[in-house]
Amino acid sequence: MKRLYMLLFSALAFTTSQGQNKFNLLVGTYTNTCESKGIYVYEFDATSGDFKLKNSTEKVVSPSYVSVSANNKFIYAVNENGTQSAVTALSYDAPTGKLKVLNTNSSLGADPCHLINDDKNVIVANYSGGSLAVFKKNADGSITEGQQLIQHEGKGPNAARQEKAHVHQVVFSPDKKFVLSNDLGQDKVFIYKYNAGASHEVLTLKGTVDVKKGSGPRHLTFSKDGKFVYLVQELDATLTTFSYNKSGSLKLLAETSILPKGFTGGTGAAAIKISPDGKFLYVTDRVDANSISVYQIQKDGSLKFVEQESTLGKGPRDFAIDPTGNYLLVGHQYTNDIIIFKRDKATGKLKNTGKKIELCSPVGLVFTKI
């Protein structure tokens, strides 16, 4: 009898561990370049690297970036569609992967490319519009019309890409007291005080930090302990390290380039993420580079180069690391696939598994619990 109990316990423990290693992968796409329904939900097994399609939306226009609510019940997506751009709220049933549109409102600016949410607000970065827009949440998870619009004004030295302000990202500080926003057009990081409960003045400007002229700040991420910020600049492939203090101030510590020595092709640095254990930093580069660089994060926040690998596709605009840290998935905008890499947790290095998800223009990847 004791042996039977042990066998049953072992089986239960194995089943539980298997269950904990399965997640949903949400993929936002462009719908104007190839056949796509919008947002796709895959079940991903972080033990084997296997996947299966669970569900998708119907006719959601170019949801290029998505953000998940803390309770895992709602999804918020930008609809990147020129002057007709919008923001959509959807209900989300994680077990089935079913998504249902709750409502859609104007993004108040052209081509929104990034957004964040908490229990009170949805905050959007309008790239072509050069603005930030704030939407309040209704009790049912839907969003109000825009309650605050902050317009950036200015330009940079790159006449082709910095002819005006281009807001590329919004990020909460770890304590949610501030929102940081990168403006590619002005070579600045804006720091806003965050007043979550305010009706209209949700964001008030605290200050700005200048970065290298013509570099084009795109995306940043906080270190796991919140003491450092890592910023990648799209136009010249600079990777910048800042220290961060809780008063909302950034101090430049170091700059490096993610380009290999002697590289002369086109560059377009894209996504930057940190592994779940906080030990490694990953950055993708597009155009001719189509690579992902790996850095080990040192105790003092400095970065030690580990390796640079081909992403095995064209246009690695976004990537996601599964919550266990076992796999890193890279979405390619132009080769219409998601390449699945195995991560070595000890070294941070990546190895191609030979597995890939094929779908139209995957440009936003997020893992959620089931």
Side-chain angles (χ1 to χ4, degrees), residues 221-240:
T221 186
F222 280 86
S223 62
K224 195 168 185 180
D225 62 9
K227 293 180 180 179
F228 303 97
V229 166
Y230 303 99
L231 169 72
V232 67
Q233 285 118 280
E234 179 176 337
L235 302 182
D236 73 350
T238 295
L239 175 58
T240 301

Side-chain angles (χ1 to χ4, degrees), residues 123-336:
I123 306 172
V124 176
N126 291 310
Y127 177 79
S128 297
S131 61
L132 289 80
V134 181
F135 304 80
K136 305 300 290 186
K137 281 189 179 180
N138 297 314
D140 64 353
S142 63
I143 55 172
T144 65
E145 293 182 344
Q147 299 299 300
Q148 183 181 17
L149 179 67
I150 298 174
Q151 184 66 51
H152 286 189
E153 300 288 351
K155 58 184 180 180
N158 185 325
R161 294 293 310 279
Q162 296 181 309
E163 79 291 357
K164 62 177 183 177
H166 287 299
V167 180
H168 220 312
Q169 188 190 33
V170 280
V171 181
F172 286 120
S173 62
D175 59 10
K176 296 283 184 76
K177 290 183 178 179
F178 299 94
V179 169
L180 282 65
S181 179
N182 305 324
D183 192 323
L184 179 145
Q186 297 190 75
D187 295 316
K188 291 178 183 289
V189 178
F190 286 71
I191 302 166
Y192 290 94
K193 291 181 181 177
Y194 180 51
N195 314 297
S199 298
H200 301 291
E201 296 297 314
V202 176
L203 298 176
T204 55
L205 185 63
K206 177 190 182 295
T208 63
V209 175
D210 293 328
V211 296
K212 191 165 56 170
K213 294 296 183 186
S215 63
R218 179 183 171 95
H219 278 196
L220 62 77
T221 186
F222 280 86
S223 62
K224 195 168 185 180
D225 62 9
K227 293 180 180 179
F228 303 97
V229 166
Y230 303 99
L231 169 72
V232 67
Q233 285 118 280
E234 179 176 337
L235 302 182
D236 73 350
T238 295
L239 175 58
T240 301
T241 302
F242 297 94
S243 62
Y244 177 80
N245 67 35
K246 291 185 178 181
S247 67
S249 297
L250 294 172
K251 181 183 178 182
L252 178 67
L253 295 181
E255 286 182 338
T256 187
S257 174
I258 63 172
L259 296 176
K261 288 182 179 178
F263 181 83
T264 57
T267 180
I272 182 167
K273 309 275 178 76
I274 290 177
S275 58
D277 61 11
K279 294 179 180 179
F280 295 94
L281 180 78
Y282 296 83
V283 190
T284 55
D285 197 0
R286 299 169 296 171
V287 189
D288 296 323
N290 296 305
S291 63
I292 186 163
S293 299
V294 186
Y295 298 86
Q296 186 179 49
I297 300 173
Q298 308 299 294
K299 288 183 179 180
D300 63 356
S302 62
L303 299 174
K304 180 182 178 182
F305 179 76
V306 175
E307 68 171 357
Q308 185 177 79
E309 294 288 336
S310 168
T311 59
L312 305 175
K314 185 167 178 58
R317 176 158 165 160
D318 198 18
F319 66 93
I321 304 170
D322 83 75
T324 70
N326 287 339
Y327 291 90
L328 185 149
L329 283 65
V330 182
H332 291 105
Q333 181 176 350
Y334 301 114
T335 42
N336 302 315

Side-chain angles (χ1 to χ4, degrees), residues 31-62:
T31 59
N32 58 352
T33 57
C34 44
E35 189 173 335
S36 172
K37 296 179 178 180
I39 303 171
Y40 291 77
V41 183
Y42 293 86
E43 182 175 286
F44 184 79
D45 188 327
T47 302
S48 64
D50 293 334
F51 60 89
K52 64 179 180 181
L53 179 63
K54 291 176 77 168
N55 232 311
S56 68
T57 54
E58 295 287 341
K59 298 180 181 178
V60 172
V61 177
S62 290

